[in-house]
Amino acid sequence: MQGSIQLSEQPKDRAVRRVTALLNTGAGSPRQSVQTMQESIAAAFRRHGVQADLRLVTGQDLRATVRQAFDQAERGEIDAIVVGGGDGSIHTVSGLLARTGVPLGVLPLGTLNHFAKDLGIPLDIDSAAAVIARGHSRVVDLAEVNGETFINNSSIGIYPYLVMDRERRRAHKRLHKWIAMVPAFFRMLRHLPWRRLRLSAEGMERPYRTPCVFVGNNEYDTDLFTLRHRRRMDAGKLWVYVIKPRNPLGLFWIACRMCFSHLDHERDLDVFELRKAEIAARSTRLPVALDGEVRVLRTPLRYRSLPKALRVIVPAQ
């Protein structure tokens, strides 16, 4: 695990013996068939004494299936709800379980798995199943913008632009997302998505013309392009990072400094630690990235922290 997570709330230990596991069939890279994945997950839970009802779902079906599983938890039929997928899947399930107290178990099946890494959850299936079986849980923060929750971060500008261009290329040419990202990145450098925004929070108001605003659910390392990790998951704070450069050359050099971990707060970023923030724009709608997925939201964008809103099963250490 990178870094050490500090969580102030006392943990709960309750062995997990029955779960409903929602497996997103579209998560991550196709390293193995869906049937093979399902069999390996079922075997892992059996080894650790967990009776698992495995349900294969698509991203579109995930919300309805979570509600069914939540009803099971409310009736006492299961001890936890497990999501098998990447950050996008966890994002969807977490929003529906926020402030319910139902424990969430995580099987990291995505490409990047930032949330699992930040909590020290093992990335291999057997070890992750063992963590879930032990049932050691903590509460962590969520955040939201205009009623949409997120687990990791939200951003305006560069990243939503990249994702939308990447998905357009994938739809037209059936490219893998990492291959489609390369031409999308170079197009972004030629047509930087400058945004005129106004940040307001806690008696402060500042105008910006920037290619990127990044809002973290708690504090991130400042290598924003690599999103290293968070040391706290329950501080109840938003960390807002605004890139300062005002021309393409300046953005190129800040990207180089990020790659080599030489980012300078005073030179490259404005950074704010807040509980709530409002971001206004000239346009009535903005593309906004939430945990890697893009939504088009009405402005102003109203962000706030949701302290200790989610109970999640994590390693005991």
Side-chain angles (χ1 to χ4, degrees):
M1 179 178 68
Q2 292 182 326
S4 58
I5 300 299
Q6 304 171 33
L7 296 170
S8 58
E9 190 259 9
Q10 289 299 310
K12 287 186 178 180
D13 289 312
R14 179 186 174 188
V16 170
R17 292 294 172 259
R18 299 167 301 168
V19 303
T20 293
L22 313 177
L23 311 180
N24 186 349
T25 56
S29 302
R31 290 164 290 191
Q32 56 185 356
S33 70
V34 172
Q35 182 179 352
T36 301
M37 175 188 72
Q38 187 177 13
E39 290 172 354
S40 64
I41 291 172
F45 276 126
R46 283 196 300 271
R47 280 194 294 274
H48 298 287
V50 178
Q51 180 182 341
D53 175 13
L54 303 185
R55 302 185 186 180
L56 300 177
V57 297
T58 63
Q60 291 82 359
D61 300 331
L62 192 53
R63 287 182 179 275
T65 314
V66 173
R67 292 189 178 97
Q68 295 169 9
F70 176 74
D71 290 341
Q72 289 180 287
E74 286 284 276
R75 294 192 297 266
E77 297 171 3
I78 57 175
D79 303 316
I81 296 174
V82 174
V83 57
D87 289 322
S89 304
I90 299 168
H91 159 103
T92 299
V93 176
S94 296
L96 295 170
L97 294 185
R99 293 174 171 161
T100 65
V102 175
L104 174 66
V106 175
L107 293 174
L109 303 179
T111 305
L112 298 175
N113 302 306
H114 289 301
F115 187 72
K117 290 175 182 176
D118 285 348
L119 287 171
I121 295 171
L123 300 185
D124 68 281
I125 296 301
D126 188 75
S127 298
V131 167
I132 292 168
R134 286 191 286 270
H136 181 88
S137 68
R138 295 269 196 173
V139 288
V140 299
D141 301 338
L142 296 176
E144 73 172 14
V145 54
N146 292 12
E148 294 262 1
T149 58
F150 56 96
I151 55 173
N152 297 327
N153 55 71
S154 170
S155 64
I156 306 162
I158 289 173
Y159 189 73
Y161 184 96
L162 281 172
V163 170
M164 289 189 298
D165 193 21
R166 180 196 71 191
E167 293 307 305
R168 178 181 61 81
R169 294 172 189 276
R170 291 184 70 193
H172 289 171
K173 300 182 180 180
R174 297 186 179 181
L175 299 173
H176 186 276
K177 68 179 181 180
W178 292 112
I179 296 174
M181 185 64 89
V182 174
F185 176 78
F186 285 105
R187 186 173 187 274
M188 179 272 296
L189 290 179
R190 292 196 304 271
H191 305 283
L192 281 173
W194 298 103
R195 298 289 184 188
R196 291 189 180 276
L197 306 170
R198 183 173 295 275
L199 173 65
S200 305
E202 301 173 10
M204 173 270 294
E205 186 172 301
R206 292 195 185 183
Y208 284 99
R209 182 175 181 269
T210 175
C212 182
V213 176
F214 176 94
V215 182
N217 174 25
N218 290 298
E219 183 182 9
Y220 270 86
D221 278 1
T222 51
D223 297 331
L224 298 184
F225 283 12
T226 54
L227 299 176
R228 291 291 179 91
H229 65 279
R230 292 164 286 180
R231 294 183 182 276
R232 286 291 299 266
M233 299 285 280
D234 67 345
K237 295 292 184 67
L238 303 174
W239 281 72
V240 182
Y241 305 81
V242 185
I243 290 184
K244 289 182 178 180
R246 298 178 179 274
N247 57 65
L249 182 61
L251 184 63
F252 172 79
W253 285 116
I254 194 175
C256 292
R257 290 195 293 276
M258 285 177 176
C259 290
F260 291 99
S261 300
H262 294 315
L263 201 64
D264 185 306
H265 265 201
E266 293 187 6
R267 177 175 54 181
D268 299 326
L269 296 172
D270 277 347
V271 182
F272 305 93
E273 179 184 358
L274 307 163
R275 294 189 184 277
K276 296 182 180 180
E278 181 175 292
I279 298 176
R282 291 183 173 181
S283 56
T284 58
R285 295 175 181 269
L286 279 180
V288 179
L290 301 169
D291 298 323
E293 299 183 351
V294 177
R295 304 278 191 275
V296 178
L297 302 181
R298 284 188 174 276
T299 57
L301 304 175
R302 294 187 173 93
Y303 286 89
R304 65 171 179 150
S305 174
L306 302 177
K308 298 179 173 62
L310 180 69
R311 180 162 291 280
V312 59
I313 299 171
V314 298
Q317 69 269 29

